[in-house]
Structures are given as structure tokens and as C-alpha cells.
Amino acid sequence: MPVSHRLTAPAPGWTTTTDVVVVGSGVAGLTVALNVRKAGLRAVVVTKAMLDDGSTRWAQGGIAAALGEGDTPEQHLDDTLVAGAGVCDEEAVRVLVTEGPDAVRRLIAIGAAFDKGADGEILLTREGGHHRRRIAHAGGDATGAEISRALVSAVRSDPGLELIEHALVLDLLTDADGHAAGLTLHVMGEGQRDGVGAIRAKAVVLATGGMGQVFSATTNPAVSTGDGVALALRAGAEVTDLEFVQFHPTVLWLGPEAEGQQPLVSEAVRGEGAYLVDADETRFMVGQHELNELAPRDIVAKAITRQMQLKGTEHMYLDGRHFGAEMWAERFPTILASCRSHGIDPVTQLIPVSPAAHHASGGVRTDLRGRTTVPGLYACGEVACTGVHGANRLASNSLLEGLVFAERIAADLADRHRSGDLPERAVDVAGARAARSVPLPAPEARAEIQRLMSRGAGVLRSADNMAATAAGLALLAEEAHAHAAEEKPADPRVETWEAANLHLVATALVAAAAQRRETRGCHWREDFPERDDAHWQRHLITTLSVATGAPVSTPEEH
Ligand code: SIN
């Protein structure tokens, strides 16, 4: 099916051609790029800011894999399935946990330096939901930064790999058969590649990361505006599990008005023995779950939220004073510095924490080769829904997912290339603009979307509060249509395109969350407080209606 909806944008003023265009430069995107190059394919990496500015570099805790003595992929699989609350795709999880350890070893071979003990073995920590020490880390609590450094350095040393930084991807281009044939993008630069352009390609890989900016407070960087999911929806792809947004339990609480990216206090801090306490310094996780503070993340986030409601406070506390100054400095230097920069000294003080949006467990639906439902369009990393996370991602499984499924995408592209199944695609770049244009919201819509979503579709949801959020989002769409009809449309530019992407993703997320009338994993309904396996142990698939452009969610057949 050809792309039916597009962002309003000027016609592309320049065009370039490649074999594979990869959008995003986190662990997933760069792994695809490096591996397709090994297969002899040309590749262009498009990234919204600088190569190392995505979500990967913010990952603290680490990367989970059965690397330790006595640990096995089977045990990792069990923990992942329990956290996923009945809706993981077991085959995808099996791929993740069995291919994961070697994928990590290949990452080490590229140059990622993980923390090691005196015996030269990789040090492993624990996080929520893991029954074993299985999380490899780097620089103490700077794992993502080290992985990003190693991959960026490998990418930069390949002169054949073309990089386009500061570029916002707009829409997919397809050929007459509906096969992905490239994309349009806007480069925020100067010179030859300035403004809106097009990249023709034989295949397109989305690795654009998350959508945390759809909420007011998130651990995600400002660039995480759901661009990949929005593009895929407009291109007619299926997205799944959008309602399962993971709220990280322990984000540094900076006050009631704090907005945008908030500092994370890694679960590894609890993994090394910190406690969650209330203002009276009472541990409230004890007795709630066999793993206490290391229960799966949804359980801890809910317990903190309940405790905040019970005590009428806006945060709880993390107590790591017993670590002492040396351990804080050696094991958690990033978190120590970040807390201190906000006036909290974890060596002597409790750390105020509350949950904030952290990870999208759902996304663009893929099979085990990373193929989406649009031929030639692939997705990996947080933008994708491979089925490994189910209703609640197990801590530190996301870097691993990005790595493993990126390698699989590259292998699939290499196979197709070898077998002649990756031909040039004919695309009429100008004609492709005939699809219906989505009127753009004003840039101020971004803050309003975030307020609406935090109020109505955050940690605790109900039919009433989601209806209010859906109505607010519909009003923003009506305003955009009215301005377009009066010939006073918002200018096509980065702020309005991002607002349009956030609006689409928010609308789709609320449509799915309103439909799922049960509580499961990180989807918590106060009006349907129980898990309902009979009706809801399945995925919700969301697509855009070709006629109206509205997201429609349908439960998958049993
Ligand atoms: C953390 O360090 O707590 C975050 C790890 C993750 O989200 O997997």
C-alpha cells in the first residue's frame, strides 16, 4: 500500500542515492550500518542531532546478557517473560537471550570497554526483575556513553559510510508496489544539503529511538519525539503495544514544575543495595514482592506511586548513604555528579525520586528479521516492537535488543543483496507528495500535548482521564485544520513537524490505552485494576485509517 498521509513539507530540493538508509545513531542504528557495510552495501546514516546524541548514551545501568558463571539464556528468558506479564513473544525473547551473549562479545571486539574485576572478568550487577547478576556495565554507570563511543568511533573510521547529522526524517518514499524506496528529510544545516531533501534507497531502517517527550517529565533526551513511529504510521505500517510505556521508578525529583529530560538514578543503585524509603525512612517495598526493591520495574513504579498517594507527597526517597563516599565515586560517578549538581549529596542525604516516562515497550511491529509490515521498511531498537518486552521491559534488555535485532536486520539485507532480492527502486520523489498532507500544529502544541498526556495517560489511567486527554488532542488537531482552512497554516519547520509527530503518537497511544480494559505490566487502569487474561492476553495493533488519518487499534486475533 502506498503512503497515504504525509507531513506538510516543501518539495525536496536535493536528492541522494544509496543502498540502505538508516535513521538513528544509537546502538541499533550504528550496528545496522556497520554490518551492512561489511556485506558490501552502501549506507547512509541520518541522525537528528550529532551522531552520539541519541538515547543510547544516556543508558546508565548496562546491558543484560547471560555472561556470568552459572547463568544461562534460559534463566534470562524466564526473567524476561515474567517481567513482560504474559504478552512477550517467546520466540523473539529466545532469539534475544541466546544471541545476546555473543552479540555483546562482538561489541567488545569493536572496542566497547566494560568494567572488569581484578581477575579480568566482566563485572556484572543486578537490576529489577533479574534473579541473577547479569548486567554488564562500563565507566560505573556510563554504559551507554561507552557503547556509543565505541560504535561512533567505528563508524567514523569507515570513509564509505555517509553520515547526515542534524536531520529530521519526514516521510517514507515508496515505489509503485508500495516497497520502501527511500525517505524525505529536512537537514538543519547550510550548504548543499540544506532544507528538505530526499534519499532514494533499496531499503530503509528506522532506529529513531523512543517517544518519551510525549510526556512532561521523561528520562529521554529532547530528540525523542516519536518520529519513527509517526513516520511508520503515516506509511501504513502496523504498530503494537503502544500502551505499554514504562515509567522508570527512580528519576531524580526536581520539583513539581520540572519538565523535559530528567536525571535518571539507575536501578543498578538498588541492585547494589540502596533502599526505597518514605519520609520517615521506612522501607515500603519489603513484603510487597520477593525481590523487594528489585521487583520488576512496573511493580516498583506502582508501589512508589501508591505510597506518594497515601502520604500525599510528590516523591519518595532512595537511600544509598551506607555505600560511603568511595563506592559512590567509583561505582556511580555520573549519578553522584548529577545529584550533587542539583544540591543533593547521596553520600549523606536521601535522594528524592519519583517515576517518569522512560521506555516505549511498544513500537513499529517487526518480525524476527526486523521487517515491518511495509515491504523494505525495517525497524530496530526502541522504535520497534519485536515482541521481546511484552507489557513491561526487563531492565537493561533494551541495549541488547537494539544490538541483536540490528545484527539480524543487517543479515537479512545481506542475504537479500546476495540473492538479488534488493533491486533499485523507482520512485517519483515529487509525485510521492500527492499523498494527503497532515496540517501541522503550532509549535506551542508540544507543551500542551505533554501536559495532556501526563495528566491523562501517565502512570495511572482511567477511562475518564484518557477521554479528557483524547478530547484535548482532538481539539489541537481541529485547530490545525482550521488554521490550514483559513490559509494560515503553521509553517513547516522542525518545531511543527515534531509537534505533529508527538500529536500522532500521543493520539495512537491513548487510543490503544483506552481500549485495553485491564491492568497489565506498566499499563495501570484504576477502573480495571485486574489482569484479564481471558480477553487481553494479546497485542493491540494500531494503524492509521486511510480515510480519516485517525489511529485505530484492533486486538490481535487469538
Ligand atoms: C537504569 O539504569 O535503571 C536504566 C536501565 C534500563 O532502562 O534498562
Side-chain angles (χ1 to χ4, degrees), residues 80-89 241 243-247 298 302 359 361-362 387-394 516 518-524 531 536 538-539:
T80 303
L81 295 180
V82 169
V87 287
C88 293
D89 292 338
D241 296 353
E243 66 277 29
F244 297 125
V245 177
Q246 186 167 72
F247 287 79
D298 59 321
K302 283 175 192 166
H359 185 272
S361 293
V388 301
H389 304 311
N392 177 50
R393 179 182 60 103
L394 184 67
R516 185 174 283 281
E518 66 158 355
T519 288
R520 180 186 297 274
C522 50
H523 174 64
W524 187 14
R531 175 166 151 175
W536 288 109
R538 50 182 160 168
H539 300 289

mmCIF file of all heavy atoms in Angstrom, residues 80-89 241 243-247 298 302 359 361-362 387-394 516 518-524 531 536 538-539:
data_model
loop_
_atom_site.group_PDB
_atom_site.id
_atom_site.type_symbol
_atom_site.label_atom_id
_atom_site.label_comp_id
_atom_site.label_asym_id
_atom_site.label_seq_id
_atom_site.Cartn_x
_atom_site.Cartn_y
_atom_site.Cartn_z
ATOM 1 N N THR A 80 12.698 -12.438 31.709
ATOM 2 C CA THR A 80 12.116 -11.525 30.716
ATOM 3 C C THR A 80 10.621 -11.791 30.562
ATOM 4 O O THR A 80 9.806 -10.854 30.502
ATOM 5 C CB THR A 80 12.836 -11.687 29.359
ATOM 6 O OG1 THR A 80 14.231 -11.449 29.560
ATOM 7 C CG2 THR A 80 12.302 -10.732 28.307
ATOM 8 N N LEU A 81 10.259 -13.079 30.527
ATOM 9 C CA LEU A 81 8.838 -13.413 30.359
ATOM 10 C C LEU A 81 8.017 -12.997 31.578
ATOM 11 O O LEU A 81 6.889 -12.511 31.431
ATOM 12 C CB LEU A 81 8.671 -14.923 30.118
ATOM 13 C CG LEU A 81 9.267 -15.479 28.815
ATOM 14 C CD1 LEU A 81 9.017 -16.979 28.714
ATOM 15 C CD2 LEU A 81 8.694 -14.769 27.590
ATOM 16 N N VAL A 82 8.568 -13.156 32.757
ATOM 17 C CA VAL A 82 7.825 -12.753 33.968
ATOM 18 C C VAL A 82 7.598 -11.242 33.944
ATOM 19 O O VAL A 82 6.484 -10.761 34.140
ATOM 20 C CB VAL A 82 8.583 -13.178 35.252
ATOM 21 C CG1 VAL A 82 7.971 -12.530 36.490
ATOM 22 C CG2 VAL A 82 8.563 -14.693 35.393
ATOM 23 N N ALA A 83 8.659 -10.481 33.646
ATOM 24 C CA ALA A 83 8.511 -9.014 33.605
ATOM 25 C C ALA A 83 7.486 -8.619 32.543
ATOM 26 O O ALA A 83 6.675 -7.716 32.755
ATOM 27 C CB ALA A 83 9.860 -8.354 33.316
ATOM 28 N N GLY A 84 7.470 -9.308 31.420
ATOM 29 C CA GLY A 84 6.587 -8.949 30.296
ATOM 30 C C GLY A 84 5.117 -9.244 30.524
ATOM 31 O O GLY A 84 4.280 -8.917 29.677
ATOM 32 N N ALA A 85 4.780 -9.876 31.652
ATOM 33 C CA ALA A 85 3.399 -10.032 32.122
ATOM 34 C C ALA A 85 2.478 -10.705 31.100
ATOM 35 O O ALA A 85 1.344 -10.286 30.890
ATOM 36 C CB ALA A 85 2.828 -8.686 32.560
ATOM 37 N N GLY A 86 2.987 -11.754 30.455
ATOM 38 C CA GLY A 86 2.097 -12.586 29.644
ATOM 39 C C GLY A 86 1.949 -12.190 28.192
ATOM 40 O O GLY A 86 1.262 -12.878 27.450
ATOM 41 N N VAL A 87 2.571 -11.096 27.758
ATOM 42 C CA VAL A 87 2.408 -10.729 26.342
ATOM 43 C C VAL A 87 3.726 -10.586 25.576
ATOM 44 O O VAL A 87 3.778 -9.941 24.525
ATOM 45 C CB VAL A 87 1.503 -9.481 26.153
ATOM 46 C CG1 VAL A 87 0.053 -9.823 26.403
ATOM 47 C CG2 VAL A 87 1.943 -8.319 26.992
ATOM 48 N N CYS A 88 4.805 -11.192 26.110
ATOM 49 C CA CYS A 88 6.033 -11.238 25.298
ATOM 50 C C CYS A 88 5.830 -12.275 24.190
ATOM 51 O O CYS A 88 5.085 -13.238 24.367
ATOM 52 C CB CYS A 88 7.223 -11.736 26.123
ATOM 53 S SG CYS A 88 7.741 -10.649 27.437
ATOM 54 N N ASP A 89 6.527 -12.106 23.075
ATOM 55 C CA ASP A 89 6.567 -13.163 22.055
ATOM 56 C C ASP A 89 7.772 -14.048 22.388
ATOM 57 O O ASP A 89 8.924 -13.613 22.256
ATOM 58 C CB ASP A 89 6.723 -12.558 20.648
ATOM 59 C CG ASP A 89 5.474 -11.792 20.250
ATOM 60 O OD1 ASP A 89 4.402 -12.075 20.830
ATOM 61 O OD2 ASP A 89 5.566 -10.898 19.389
ATOM 62 N N ASP A 241 1.480 -2.534 20.910
ATOM 63 C CA ASP A 241 1.836 -2.393 22.330
ATOM 64 C C ASP A 241 2.165 -0.961 22.740
ATOM 65 O O ASP A 241 2.902 -0.734 23.714
ATOM 66 C CB ASP A 241 3.039 -3.300 22.692
ATOM 67 C CG ASP A 241 2.724 -4.776 22.548
ATOM 68 O OD1 ASP A 241 1.550 -5.111 22.302
ATOM 69 O OD2 ASP A 241 3.654 -5.594 22.680
ATOM 70 N N GLU A 243 0.511 1.131 24.284
ATOM 71 C CA GLU A 243 0.020 1.491 25.627
ATOM 72 C C GLU A 243 1.011 1.140 26.729
ATOM 73 O O GLU A 243 0.905 1.648 27.837
ATOM 74 C CB GLU A 243 -1.336 0.822 25.894
ATOM 75 C CG GLU A 243 -1.369 -0.711 25.990
ATOM 76 C CD GLU A 243 -1.457 -1.417 24.631
ATOM 77 O OE1 GLU A 243 -0.957 -0.860 23.633
ATOM 78 O OE2 GLU A 243 -1.992 -2.537 24.575
ATOM 79 N N PHE A 244 1.990 0.284 26.405
ATOM 80 C CA PHE A 244 2.928 -0.149 27.441
ATOM 81 C C PHE A 244 4.132 0.803 27.519
ATOM 82 O O PHE A 244 5.204 0.519 26.977
ATOM 83 C CB PHE A 244 3.366 -1.592 27.182
ATOM 84 C CG PHE A 244 2.218 -2.574 27.257
ATOM 85 C CD1 PHE A 244 1.939 -3.429 26.203
ATOM 86 C CD2 PHE A 244 1.406 -2.620 28.386
ATOM 87 C CE1 PHE A 244 0.883 -4.333 26.277
ATOM 88 C CE2 PHE A 244 0.338 -3.516 28.461
ATOM 89 C CZ PHE A 244 0.075 -4.373 27.401
ATOM 90 N N VAL A 245 3.923 1.905 28.171
ATOM 91 C CA VAL A 245 5.005 2.889 28.377
ATOM 92 C C VAL A 245 5.602 2.623 29.753
ATOM 93 O O VAL A 245 4.880 2.609 30.753
ATOM 94 C CB VAL A 245 4.451 4.327 28.365
ATOM 95 C CG1 VAL A 245 5.561 5.331 28.646
ATOM 96 C CG2 VAL A 245 3.765 4.622 27.054
ATOM 97 N N GLN A 246 6.880 2.409 29.767
ATOM 98 C CA GLN A 246 7.499 2.124 31.054
ATOM 99 C C GLN A 246 7.908 3.417 31.767
ATOM 100 O O GLN A 246 8.595 4.259 31.177
ATOM 101 C CB GLN A 246 8.737 1.275 30.810
ATOM 102 C CG GLN A 246 9.387 0.785 32.066
ATOM 103 C CD GLN A 246 10.390 -0.290 31.747
ATOM 104 O OE1 GLN A 246 11.450 0.012 31.205
ATOM 105 N NE2 GLN A 246 10.101 -1.525 32.064
ATOM 106 N N PHE A 247 7.457 3.523 33.011
ATOM 107 C CA PHE A 247 7.857 4.669 33.840
ATOM 108 C C PHE A 247 8.975 4.186 34.758
ATOM 109 O O PHE A 247 8.798 3.222 35.499
ATOM 110 C CB PHE A 247 6.652 5.196 34.633
ATOM 111 C CG PHE A 247 5.688 5.922 33.727
ATOM 112 C CD1 PHE A 247 4.801 5.230 32.914
ATOM 113 C CD2 PHE A 247 5.706 7.303 33.639
ATOM 114 C CE1 PHE A 247 3.956 5.886 32.038
ATOM 115 C CE2 PHE A 247 4.863 7.973 32.764
ATOM 116 C CZ PHE A 247 3.974 7.264 31.968
ATOM 117 N N ASP A 298 7.649 -2.242 36.778
ATOM 118 C CA ASP A 298 6.257 -1.785 36.884
ATOM 119 C C ASP A 298 5.775 -1.888 38.316
ATOM 120 O O ASP A 298 5.060 -1.015 38.813
ATOM 121 C CB ASP A 298 5.345 -2.595 35.946
ATOM 122 C CG ASP A 298 5.367 -4.089 36.226
ATOM 123 O OD1 ASP A 298 6.449 -4.616 36.519
ATOM 124 O OD2 ASP A 298 4.300 -4.728 36.168
ATOM 125 N N LYS A 302 4.644 1.340 40.535
ATOM 126 C CA LYS A 302 3.296 1.399 41.116
ATOM 127 C C LYS A 302 3.375 1.573 42.636
ATOM 128 O O LYS A 302 2.603 2.339 43.210
ATOM 129 C CB LYS A 302 2.522 0.113 40.785
ATOM 130 C CG LYS A 302 1.999 0.080 39.376
ATOM 131 C CD LYS A 302 1.348 -1.258 39.080
ATOM 132 C CE LYS A 302 1.090 -1.380 37.591
ATOM 133 N NZ LYS A 302 0.778 -2.734 37.160
ATOM 134 N N HIS A 359 10.647 4.369 28.805
ATOM 135 C CA HIS A 359 10.879 3.489 27.644
ATOM 136 C C HIS A 359 9.564 3.039 27.031
ATOM 137 O O HIS A 359 8.639 2.661 27.744
ATOM 138 C CB HIS A 359 11.669 2.257 28.098
ATOM 139 C CG HIS A 359 12.045 1.359 26.961
ATOM 140 N ND1 HIS A 359 11.226 0.349 26.499
ATOM 141 C CD2 HIS A 359 13.137 1.316 26.160
ATOM 142 C CE1 HIS A 359 11.803 -0.269 25.489
ATOM 143 N NE2 HIS A 359 12.965 0.300 25.261
ATOM 144 N N SER A 361 7.748 0.262 25.401
ATOM 145 C CA SER A 361 7.887 -1.181 25.153
ATOM 146 C C SER A 361 7.296 -1.538 23.797
ATOM 147 O O SER A 361 7.682 -2.528 23.185
ATOM 148 C CB SER A 361 7.183 -1.988 26.251
ATOM 149 O OG SER A 361 7.844 -1.810 27.470
ATOM 150 N N GLY A 362 6.335 -0.747 23.330
ATOM 151 C CA GLY A 362 5.737 -0.990 22.016
ATOM 152 C C GLY A 362 6.431 -0.166 20.941
ATOM 153 O O GLY A 362 7.393 0.564 21.206
ATOM 154 N N GLY A 387 8.498 -7.669 20.142
ATOM 155 C CA GLY A 387 7.749 -8.603 20.981
ATOM 156 C C GLY A 387 8.543 -9.076 22.187
ATOM 157 O O GLY A 387 8.036 -9.842 22.994
ATOM 158 N N VAL A 388 9.773 -8.588 22.357
ATOM 159 C CA VAL A 388 10.563 -9.102 23.489
ATOM 160 C C VAL A 388 10.153 -8.476 24.824
ATOM 161 O O VAL A 388 10.373 -9.073 25.865
ATOM 162 C CB VAL A 388 12.105 -8.938 23.314
ATOM 163 C CG1 VAL A 388 12.601 -9.639 22.079
ATOM 164 C CG2 VAL A 388 12.536 -7.510 23.334
ATOM 165 N N HIS A 389 9.566 -7.295 24.797
ATOM 166 C CA HIS A 389 9.315 -6.621 26.078
ATOM 167 C C HIS A 389 7.943 -6.898 26.666
ATOM 168 O O HIS A 389 7.737 -6.696 27.857
ATOM 169 C CB HIS A 389 9.479 -5.107 25.917
ATOM 170 C CG HIS A 389 10.815 -4.711 25.390
ATOM 171 N ND1 HIS A 389 11.982 -5.190 25.925
ATOM 172 C CD2 HIS A 389 11.166 -3.894 24.370
ATOM 173 C CE1 HIS A 389 13.002 -4.674 25.250
ATOM 174 N NE2 HIS A 389 12.538 -3.900 24.298
ATOM 175 N N GLY A 390 6.997 -7.293 25.833
ATOM 176 C CA GLY A 390 5.652 -7.532 26.347
ATOM 177 C C GLY A 390 5.110 -6.283 27.003
ATOM 178 O O GLY A 390 5.245 -5.167 26.487
ATOM 179 N N ALA A 391 4.506 -6.462 28.183
ATOM 180 C CA ALA A 391 3.839 -5.343 28.841
ATOM 181 C C ALA A 391 4.778 -4.562 29.747
ATOM 182 O O ALA A 391 4.359 -3.582 30.367
ATOM 183 C CB ALA A 391 2.657 -5.865 29.649
ATOM 184 N N ASN A 392 6.011 -4.990 29.854
ATOM 185 C CA ASN A 392 6.953 -4.319 30.758
ATOM 186 C C ASN A 392 8.355 -4.830 30.471
ATOM 187 O O ASN A 392 8.654 -5.988 30.724
ATOM 188 C CB ASN A 392 6.570 -4.631 32.213
ATOM 189 C CG ASN A 392 7.542 -4.034 33.194
ATOM 190 O OD1 ASN A 392 7.876 -2.857 33.123
ATOM 191 N ND2 ASN A 392 8.010 -4.845 34.118
ATOM 192 N N ARG A 393 9.200 -3.956 29.975
ATOM 193 C CA ARG A 393 10.551 -4.383 29.598
ATOM 194 C C ARG A 393 11.386 -4.726 30.826
ATOM 195 O O ARG A 393 11.394 -3.983 31.818
ATOM 196 C CB ARG A 393 11.232 -3.228 28.854
ATOM 197 C CG ARG A 393 12.646 -3.508 28.427
ATOM 198 C CD ARG A 393 13.212 -2.297 27.760
ATOM 199 N NE ARG A 393 13.197 -1.178 28.665
ATOM 200 C CZ ARG A 393 14.260 -0.718 29.312
ATOM 201 N NH1 ARG A 393 15.434 -1.292 29.150
ATOM 202 N NH2 ARG A 393 14.167 0.315 30.113
ATOM 203 N N LEU A 394 12.090 -5.834 30.745
ATOM 204 C CA LEU A 394 13.032 -6.172 31.809
ATOM 205 C C LEU A 394 14.223 -5.215 31.721
ATOM 206 O O LEU A 394 14.733 -4.942 30.626
ATOM 207 C CB LEU A 394 13.504 -7.618 31.641
ATOM 208 C CG LEU A 394 14.417 -8.160 32.737
ATOM 209 C CD1 LEU A 394 13.693 -8.289 34.070
ATOM 210 C CD2 LEU A 394 14.989 -9.523 32.339
ATOM 211 N N ARG A 516 -7.516 -1.044 26.052
ATOM 212 C CA ARG A 516 -7.068 -2.162 26.905
ATOM 213 C C ARG A 516 -7.678 -1.999 28.297
ATOM 214 O O ARG A 516 -7.125 -1.312 29.156
ATOM 215 C CB ARG A 516 -5.533 -2.217 26.961
ATOM 216 C CG ARG A 516 -5.029 -3.442 27.733
ATOM 217 C CD ARG A 516 -3.527 -3.579 27.678
ATOM 218 N NE ARG A 516 -3.035 -4.099 26.425
ATOM 219 C CZ ARG A 516 -3.047 -5.390 26.061
ATOM 220 N NH1 ARG A 516 -3.507 -6.297 26.905
ATOM 221 N NH2 ARG A 516 -2.578 -5.749 24.891
ATOM 222 N N GLU A 518 -7.913 -3.417 31.229
ATOM 223 C CA GLU A 518 -7.313 -4.283 32.254
ATOM 224 C C GLU A 518 -6.049 -3.583 32.741
ATOM 225 O O GLU A 518 -5.604 -2.592 32.146
ATOM 226 C CB GLU A 518 -6.928 -5.644 31.656
ATOM 227 C CG GLU A 518 -5.812 -5.533 30.616
ATOM 228 C CD GLU A 518 -5.016 -6.810 30.373
ATOM 229 O OE1 GLU A 518 -5.231 -7.806 31.059
ATOM 230 O OE2 GLU A 518 -4.130 -6.773 29.487
ATOM 231 N N THR A 519 -5.497 -4.140 33.819
ATOM 232 C CA THR A 519 -4.192 -3.678 34.288
ATOM 233 C C THR A 519 -3.185 -4.788 33.993
ATOM 234 O O THR A 519 -3.406 -5.938 34.364
ATOM 235 C CB THR A 519 -4.251 -3.374 35.797
ATOM 236 O OG1 THR A 519 -5.019 -2.172 35.963
ATOM 237 C CG2 THR A 519 -2.876 -3.177 36.398
ATOM 238 N N ARG A 520 -2.125 -4.422 33.285
ATOM 239 C CA ARG A 520 -1.108 -5.423 32.925
ATOM 240 C C ARG A 520 0.224 -4.703 32.777
ATOM 241 O O ARG A 520 0.314 -3.692 32.082
ATOM 242 C CB ARG A 520 -1.482 -6.112 31.612
ATOM 243 C CG ARG A 520 -0.481 -7.175 31.150
ATOM 244 C CD ARG A 520 -0.813 -7.719 29.781
ATOM 245 N NE ARG A 520 -2.085 -8.412 29.736
ATOM 246 C CZ ARG A 520 -2.277 -9.709 30.035
ATOM 247 N NH1 ARG A 520 -1.260 -10.447 30.398
ATOM 248 N NH2 ARG A 520 -3.483 -10.251 29.963
ATOM 249 N N GLY A 521 1.266 -5.242 33.422
ATOM 250 C CA GLY A 521 2.584 -4.652 33.279
ATOM 251 C C GLY A 521 2.544 -3.170 33.593
ATOM 252 O O GLY A 521 2.000 -2.739 34.618
ATOM 253 N N CYS A 522 3.094 -2.362 32.699
ATOM 254 C CA CYS A 522 3.136 -0.930 33.007
ATOM 255 C C CYS A 522 1.864 -0.188 32.586
ATOM 256 O O CYS A 522 1.809 1.034 32.722
ATOM 257 C CB CYS A 522 4.402 -0.295 32.443
ATOM 258 S SG CYS A 522 4.705 -0.665 30.738
ATOM 259 N N HIS A 523 0.853 -0.909 32.106
ATOM 260 C CA HIS A 523 -0.439 -0.263 31.805
ATOM 261 C C HIS A 523 -1.337 -0.460 33.030
ATOM 262 O O HIS A 523 -1.788 -1.567 33.313
ATOM 263 C CB HIS A 523 -1.049 -0.923 30.569
ATOM 264 C CG HIS A 523 -2.430 -0.449 30.239
ATOM 265 N ND1 HIS A 523 -2.703 0.844 29.869
ATOM 266 C CD2 HIS A 523 -3.625 -1.108 30.219
ATOM 267 C CE1 HIS A 523 -4.012 0.958 29.621
ATOM 268 N NE2 HIS A 523 -4.582 -0.210 29.836
ATOM 269 N N TRP A 524 -1.587 0.615 33.756
ATOM 270 C CA TRP A 524 -2.248 0.548 35.060
ATOM 271 C C TRP A 524 -3.545 1.321 34.999
ATOM 272 O O TRP A 524 -3.537 2.553 34.872
ATOM 273 C CB TRP A 524 -1.305 1.131 36.115
ATOM 274 C CG TRP A 524 -1.763 0.982 37.525
ATOM 275 C CD1 TRP A 524 -2.753 0.174 37.997
ATOM 276 C CD2 TRP A 524 -1.235 1.656 38.649
ATOM 277 N NE1 TRP A 524 -2.862 0.300 39.354
ATOM 278 C CE2 TRP A 524 -1.942 1.208 39.782
ATOM 279 C CE3 TRP A 524 -0.218 2.608 38.841
ATOM 280 C CZ2 TRP A 524 -1.678 1.668 41.075
ATOM 281 C CZ3 TRP A 524 0.042 3.073 40.114
ATOM 282 C CH2 TRP A 524 -0.675 2.605 41.225
ATOM 283 N N ARG A 531 -5.655 -7.969 36.044
ATOM 284 C CA ARG A 531 -5.196 -8.513 34.760
ATOM 285 C C ARG A 531 -6.301 -9.446 34.243
ATOM 286 O O ARG A 531 -6.841 -10.232 35.006
ATOM 287 C CB ARG A 531 -3.893 -9.275 35.033
ATOM 288 C CG ARG A 531 -3.337 -9.994 33.850
ATOM 289 C CD ARG A 531 -1.902 -10.409 34.156
ATOM 290 N NE ARG A 531 -1.542 -11.615 33.427
ATOM 291 C CZ ARG A 531 -0.328 -12.142 33.425
ATOM 292 N NH1 ARG A 531 0.641 -11.581 34.109
ATOM 293 N NH2 ARG A 531 -0.069 -13.230 32.748
ATOM 294 N N TRP A 536 -7.504 -10.175 27.279
ATOM 295 C CA TRP A 536 -6.447 -9.235 26.900
ATOM 296 C C TRP A 536 -5.038 -9.792 26.857
ATOM 297 O O TRP A 536 -4.087 -9.004 26.772
ATOM 298 C CB TRP A 536 -6.498 -8.014 27.841
ATOM 299 C CG TRP A 536 -7.687 -7.173 27.536
ATOM 300 C CD1 TRP A 536 -8.803 -7.017 28.294
ATOM 301 C CD2 TRP A 536 -7.901 -6.396 26.355
ATOM 302 N NE1 TRP A 536 -9.702 -6.196 27.673
ATOM 303 C CE2 TRP A 536 -9.168 -5.795 26.475
ATOM 304 C CE3 TRP A 536 -7.142 -6.163 25.205
ATOM 305 C CZ2 TRP A 536 -9.696 -4.965 25.488
ATOM 306 C CZ3 TRP A 536 -7.666 -5.332 24.226
ATOM 307 C CH2 TRP A 536 -8.924 -4.754 24.378
ATOM 308 N N ARG A 538 -3.094 -10.523 24.734
ATOM 309 C CA ARG A 538 -2.778 -10.401 23.298
ATOM 310 C C ARG A 538 -2.387 -8.954 22.995
ATOM 311 O O ARG A 538 -2.612 -8.063 23.808
ATOM 312 C CB ARG A 538 -3.963 -10.809 22.455
ATOM 313 C CG ARG A 538 -5.270 -10.148 22.859
ATOM 314 C CD ARG A 538 -6.355 -10.676 21.982
ATOM 315 N NE ARG A 538 -7.676 -10.502 22.522
ATOM 316 C CZ ARG A 538 -8.750 -10.693 21.792
ATOM 317 N NH1 ARG A 538 -8.650 -11.012 20.537
ATOM 318 N NH2 ARG A 538 -9.941 -10.547 22.312
ATOM 319 N N HIS A 539 -1.877 -8.774 21.779
ATOM 320 C CA HIS A 539 -1.413 -7.440 21.395
ATOM 321 C C HIS A 539 -2.556 -6.614 20.828
ATOM 322 O O HIS A 539 -3.533 -7.148 20.308
ATOM 323 C CB HIS A 539 -0.332 -7.547 20.318
ATOM 324 C CG HIS A 539 0.865 -8.315 20.766
ATOM 325 N ND1 HIS A 539 1.754 -7.823 21.679
ATOM 326 C CD2 HIS A 539 1.299 -9.552 20.429
ATOM 327 C CE1 HIS A 539 2.711 -8.726 21.880
ATOM 328 N NE2 HIS A 539 2.450 -9.775 21.144
#
